[in-house]
Amino acid sequence: MAKEKFQNFTSRLVPLRMDNVDTDQIIPARYLKATDKKGFGEHLFQDLRFNEDGTPKPDFPLNKPHYKGAQILLARENFGCGSSREHAPWALLGYGFKAIIAASFADIFRNNASKNGLLLIELPYQDVDQMHGDVLENPEREAFVNLAEDTLIWKGQPYTFPNNPFTKKMLLEGLDDIGYTLSFAKDIDAFEKNKK
Amino acid sequence: MTKSKTEKRTLYDKIWDAHVVREAKDEPSILYIDLHMIHEVTSPQAFTGLETRGLSVRRPDRTVATMDHSVPSIDRGVFPWLDALAQKQVEMLAANCKKYGITLHDLKSAHQGIVHVIGPELGLTQPGKTIVCGDSHTSTQGAFGALAFGIGTSEVEHVLATQCLLQHKTKSMAITINGTLKPGVFSKDIILRIINEIGIGGGTGYTLEYRGSAIEKLSMEARMTICNMSIEAGARAGMIAPDETTIEYLLKRVKFKSDAERKQAVEEWRGWKSDEGAAFDKKVVIDADSIEPMVTWGTNPGMSVGITGVIPNGGNEEIVGALEYMGLKAGQKMQGQPVDYVFIGSCTNSRIEDLRIASKIMNGKMIAKGITAFVVPGSQEVKHKAEEEGLHEVFLSAGCEWREPGCSMCIAMNGDMVPAGKYCASTSNRNFIGRQGKGARTFLMSPAMAALAALEGRIEDIREYI
């Protein structure tokens, strides 16, 4: 199935200056009971973002007015650790994020993100830390994401990020893994035939 | 990439090589999946996707389903669903299984249970197999020398449609535990110590192989506890090569058509091990004698300390935040820390051996005043066996609740939860913020330590009681 093609874009960064943000923080398990992919964005970072009575916590970055509408989350180390719930990228995308910058990402989260068109930008820890400082200094500063060139432009500087050629192609062309694998159905048939 | 026949290969290399359908430069490999287990929470969107594409389930015979995450743990005659959504998930799973001809162990089945507990019980989990499930603790089944790992819902759909996954090969890490565990120290303590040492991101990008004399002495149940928490170190998977302990377990579970078939299977199982001298990308060695009963103090499974230790001084904001959430202080001793709730269960520690250990400690005693203790067997089979042995009577007379199988208070999706601000001694796998309920504070530990905490009303050193 064709998906939306990933387009280059410009956005502010929302800083979430925390290591090891686990999937229970991204979307708590009590919201995993839906049977479709919609509506998870409302509960993104629920317990970090909202008080007991449902009012927004003013200090949480997503609630600060100058980050409203930003499409890039600036995280830190080991973002997305924990469970395999794909509800985590669904929640991030549902909220409006298109890319996440971090020093590292958890393994299953990485898979789940790429399959949904959420771009993960992995940069050295020092660079990520520096960006956190930069954002605090000027929250209105914008970054430019150029997927085809594996580059993030920040403060006029290009930051090159590792980009798996296959994942990149799938994102740029809006292709889908299942379609790709089904194009090798004959190989799967042959494998099954050889297997006892 | 597959390795040449002349190269020395790890167990992971061998399973990988045997399942590559197609490989090409700059593209992920297409890896064949032998067994796909599904449950109610991460499968509905996958089936919907399949339908939208007009596809069907390629191999229903290689797909097995159960219900575990959001099912009630109390009297199933009444079916007290937490809410209509939980009920809908379960009903959708039943409908999807019926439509596509997938075997479902539903709430009425004698085999219902936590997905990672029932795979081995049914004899489906075998050495050399590739096993996936939309749950990160699928790594549990690596204890049998299988390559087992958790996947997301898009990948569930991918496996349903193609019986394959797109995979990049991970690096390999050998974790060797030498020597003998001291009395009162269990496999849960081994894995908590490993995570403490390598860190919760220390296994990212790796498949772990646990080995060494201390691992070889463990039962299959204890091995599953270790492999279960591989993901808590960030690893793709964790595995232990099969040996006579594995084969003994399998021969009781796997069904064969003939003696010849059985002999052939045993022969094949024995071959699933790393070659002598096979190269690993990283090696970690831990002396079993140096492992104490472990307990977590923070908000991830790496934030732990031996029972005689103290909470480390907050050097960074993550530790400060964790201690604030937990209501604890740096330098504080964990021994003597009061608890309000005790949870013995989850895919980490809900098998018969875990319940035997806990019941031995609780036998003839009462839990402390004010403690709520849940004992939740991992499967109907475990529950039945425990009741046959009278373990449930020990728990019930001690004042514990004896519940129906499922994930229960580990993920708190079914209404079994720890209230905000309360402390829980838990045999589960995650002490994340809000994991056992909003505001709940979790201490991870072994079933023996959790049982003792229930009796004492506080965390104590099991070694002083045995």
Side-chain angles (χ1 to χ4, degrees):
Chain A
M1 271 190 314
K3 292 190 290 197
E4 215 172 295
K5 292 179 185 175
F6 194 97
Q7 306 286 344
N8 294 343
F9 70 100
T10 302
S11 166
R12 290 181 192 177
L13 313 184
V14 186
L16 186 63
R17 203 161 168 271
M18 292 164 69
D19 288 335
N20 304 314
V21 173
D22 59 69
T23 51
D24 280 84
Q25 302 313 301
I26 300 173
I27 179 91
R30 59 185 187 277
Y31 299 110
L32 305 187
K33 290 180 196 130
T35 45
D36 58 24
K37 299 181 185 181
K38 293 187 202 101
F40 295 108
E42 292 167 43
H43 300 296
L44 175 69
F45 300 123
Q46 176 76 26
D47 296 340
L48 292 165
R49 202 170 130 203
F50 299 105
N51 291 308
E52 197 69 39
D53 62 2
T55 54
K57 294 182 180 177
D59 286 344
F60 190 66
L62 266 66
N63 294 329
K64 292 186 179 170
H66 38 257
Y67 300 127
K68 203 168 187 298
Q71 296 172 316
I72 304 175
L73 181 70
L74 177 63
R76 222 156 62 163
E77 190 108 74
N78 198 28
F79 185 84
C81 61
S83 91
S84 65
R85 64 188 70 158
E86 199 159 317
H87 313 70
W90 294 337
L92 288 156
L93 286 160
Y95 180 84
F97 286 118
K98 288 184 178 172
I100 303 176
I101 304 171
S104 58
F105 294 95
D107 188 54
I108 307 178
F109 178 80
R110 182 187 289 278
N111 275 332
N112 287 340
S114 74
K115 305 229 180 320
N116 288 279
L118 179 64
L119 177 66
L120 303 186
I121 299 175
E122 191 173 306
L123 294 174
Y125 193 88
Q126 312 85 275
D127 292 345
V128 172
D129 221 35
Q130 179 62 45
M131 284 179 186
H132 274 287
D134 296 342
V135 172
L136 287 185
E137 186 191 274
N138 177 7
E140 288 173 22
R141 188 170 275 139
E142 290 191 318
F144 175 65
V145 176
N146 186 334
L147 177 61
E149 292 182 16
D150 314 327
T151 313
L152 176 88
I153 310 283
W154 179 245
K155 285 176 84 177
Q157 294 293 315
Y159 292 81
T160 307
F161 53 87
N163 213 350
N164 177 295
F166 180 79
T167 311
K168 176 172 157 180
K169 181 179 145 84
M170 300 304 266
L171 285 174
L172 283 174
E173 296 179 20
L175 298 175
D176 170 84
D177 282 9
I178 294 180
Y180 168 85
T181 304
L182 285 174
S183 71
F184 300 105
K186 278 192 181 141
D187 297 271
I188 305 172
D189 293 342
F191 184 90
E192 282 185 333
K193 217 175 152 191
N194 286 332
K195 215 174 153 74
K196 53 186 169 173
Chain B
M1 287 303 232
T2 50
K3 287 195 173 173
S4 76
K5 289 272 185 307
T6 53
E7 272 178 279
K8 286 182 174 171
R9 296 183 299 163
T10 63
L11 171 58
Y12 172 58
D13 290 331
K14 290 182 185 180
I15 301 177
W16 177 272
D17 292 354
H19 291 84
V20 171
V21 171
R22 178 186 182 270
E23 57 183 4
K25 196 179 175 291
D26 283 344
E27 286 175 44
S29 297
I30 300 179
L31 203 68
Y32 195 76
I33 300 302
D34 293 319
L35 174 65
H36 184 200
M37 301 198 73
I38 58 174
H39 63 82
E40 76 277 22
V41 176
T42 58
S43 69
Q45 294 90 345
F47 280 107
T48 307
L50 209 61
E51 248 160 66
T52 312
R53 291 167 197 273
L55 294 171
S56 191
V57 177
R58 183 181 172 99
R59 295 296 299 265
D61 58 323
R62 290 185 177 274
T63 314
V64 176
T66 192
M67 303 161 164
D68 53 7
H69 281 67
S70 57
V71 301
S73 68
I74 40 180
D75 186 7
R76 300 242 165 106
V78 189
F79 279 83
W81 293 102
L82 179 65
D83 53 41
L85 287 172
Q87 188 171 1
K88 190 180 169 199
Q89 277 190 331
V90 165
E91 286 168 359
M92 267 185 88
L93 181 66
N96 284 324
C97 288
K98 195 173 170 201
K99 180 173 175 186
Y100 294 105
I102 295 165
T103 302
L104 167 67
H105 300 290
D106 67 8
L107 297 180
K108 295 190 189 92
S109 160
H111 298 294
Q112 180 266 339
I114 305 175
V115 63
H116 320 303
V117 176
I118 71 165
E121 279 176 357
L122 292 165
L124 300 171
T125 308
Q126 293 173 19
K129 281 196 175 187
T130 46
I131 303 171
V132 296
C133 171
D135 188 288
S136 61
H137 293 110
T138 308
S139 59
T140 312
Q141 301 178 61
F144 291 80
L147 174 60
F149 54 93
I151 56 176
T153 299
S154 292
E155 291 179 311
V156 170
E157 186 181 340
H158 194 283
V159 180
L160 289 172
T162 67
Q163 202 55 37
C164 293
L165 264 184
L166 297 180
Q167 283 280 300
H168 293 280
K169 205 172 170 188
T170 66
K171 292 182 277 187
S172 59
M173 189 190 302
I175 299 184
T176 306
I177 315 291
N178 288 319
T180 306
L181 290 175
K182 291 202 168 128
V185 181
F186 299 89
S187 67
K188 182 64 163 283
D189 304 306
I190 298 181
I191 187 63
L192 284 172
R193 168 73 181 271
I194 291 170
I195 299 164
N196 182 275
E197 263 191 52
I198 70 173
I200 61 166
T204 305
Y206 287 91
T207 292
L208 315 179
E209 184 179 333
Y210 305 100
R211 51 204 338 221
S213 52
I215 300 292
E216 287 160 20
K217 285 174 206 140
L218 298 174
S219 67
M220 288 317 296
E221 284 83 356
R223 292 179 192 186
M224 283 190 252
T225 301
I226 294 185
C227 290
N228 171 275
M229 289 186 72
S230 303
I231 180 69
E232 307 314 332
R236 170 79 51 84
M239 46 175 64
I240 296 171
D243 59 9
E244 294 313 305
T245 305
T246 322
I247 289 165
E248 194 191 330
Y249 182 103
L250 289 166
L251 287 177
K252 286 186 205 148
R253 307 278 176 171
V254 183
K255 292 177 189 78
F256 297 101
K257 289 190 197 94
S258 65
D259 264 9
E261 198 189 70
R262 192 186 70 233
K263 273 184 193 155
Q264 198 192 339
V266 171
E267 194 68 20
E268 196 217 306
W269 291 338
R270 287 208 172 101
W272 291 109
K273 57 182 178 194
S274 294
D275 291 329
E276 192 88 29
F280 287 85
D281 297 297
K282 193 173 174 185
K283 289 182 178 181
V284 173
V285 181
I286 296 174
D287 184 0
D289 297 359
S290 73
I291 304 175
E292 281 194 282
M294 298 290 288
V295 51
T296 61
W297 50 261
T299 51
N300 72 50
M303 293 176 164
S304 63
V305 69
I307 183 63
T308 58
V310 296
I311 298 172
N313 281 310
N316 64 49
E317 51 204 288
E318 192 184 17
I319 293 181
V320 171
L323 291 179
E324 191 186 313
Y325 179 80
M326 293 297 289
L328 301 172
K329 287 190 172 65
Q332 191 181 326
K333 281 188 80 164
M334 285 308 290
Q335 190 168 2
Q337 165 66 37
V339 299
D340 309 289
Y341 278 69
V342 173
F343 174 58
I344 298 173
S346 87
C347 56
T348 313
N349 281 122
S350 64
R351 284 166 284 268
I352 190 69
E353 185 180 278
D354 302 312
L355 302 189
R356 284 180 188 141
I357 291 168
S359 75
K360 209 172 152 187
I361 288 154
M362 288 197 186
N363 195 10
K365 302 203 171 86
M366 289 293 295
I367 60 172
K369 201 165 167 265
I371 296 284
T372 304
F374 274 45
V375 184
V376 186
S379 68
Q380 294 294 347
E381 193 187 308
V382 171
K383 182 167 185 261
H384 182 75
K385 181 88 182 128
E387 290 180 350
E388 223 175 62
E389 296 179 17
L391 307 184
H392 67 309
E393 280 161 14
V394 173
F395 295 127
L396 286 167
S397 339
C400 304
E401 298 198 21
W402 176 245
R403 297 249 174 166
E404 293 289 332
C407 302
S408 179
M409 209 183 261
C410 171
I411 190 164
M413 276 188 78
N414 71 338
D416 297 349
M417 58 176 81
V418 178
K422 298 289 183 193
Y423 289 104
C424 181
S426 179
T427 68
S428 55
N429 41 58
R430 288 190 176 134
N431 49 343
F432 294 154
I433 291 173
R435 172 78 178 185
Q436 291 194 287
K438 196 175 174 182
R441 296 158 159 174
T442 304
F443 299 123
L444 300 177
M445 61 189 77
S446 72
M449 288 280 286
L452 181 62
L455 298 180
E456 298 296 330
R458 57 183 189 272
I459 299 171
E460 285 298 342
D461 188 345
I462 187 67
R463 294 171 301 181
E464 294 171 10
Y465 289 75
I466 52 171

